[in-house]
Amino acid sequence: LGALHAAQQSIVAAVVDAMHGRTQAPPLPAARRFVLTRAVMGAIRAAVLEESDFLGTAAFEDELVRLVLAVLRSPPSPATPE
């Protein structure tokens, strides 16, 4: 679980940096930040609870990164206030 905790902290740190404009990406709106963090943490939590063979694999990590990048690269919703 130490590696899982470190991965979680790394993901959260990257999202927090993006939220506060400490990256090239614009800050994330609150709704997008909520959905993104819950999606990532939900996938990790499910992998742990289900004792998935994906946990700790490069494939699982790659898919989490693809998820985060897809959300960060998507245009803002017209209904989402900044």
Side-chain angles (χ1 to χ4, degrees):
L1 286 177
L4 174 63
H5 183 70
Q8 289 174 336
Q9 291 303 314
S10 179
I11 292 167
V12 169
V15 172
V16 167
D17 283 346
M19 287 171 17
H20 295 288
R22 293 189 292 250
T23 66
Q24 303 266 339
L28 296 176
R32 185 175 294 206
R33 184 172 61 239
F34 180 88
V35 170
L36 178 59
T37 56
R38 290 340 182 262
V40 170
M41 298 309 291
I44 293 170
R45 181 178 186 273
V48 170
L49 292 176
E50 296 171 17
E51 298 179 6
S52 172
D53 292 337
F54 291 122
L55 194 60
T57 66
F60 185 64
E61 182 180 336
D62 289 347
E63 292 305 322
L64 289 174
V65 169
R66 286 171 40 89
L67 172 68
V68 171
L69 291 176
V71 170
L72 293 177
R73 290 177 178 159
S74 64
S77 166
T80 305
E82 294 298 317

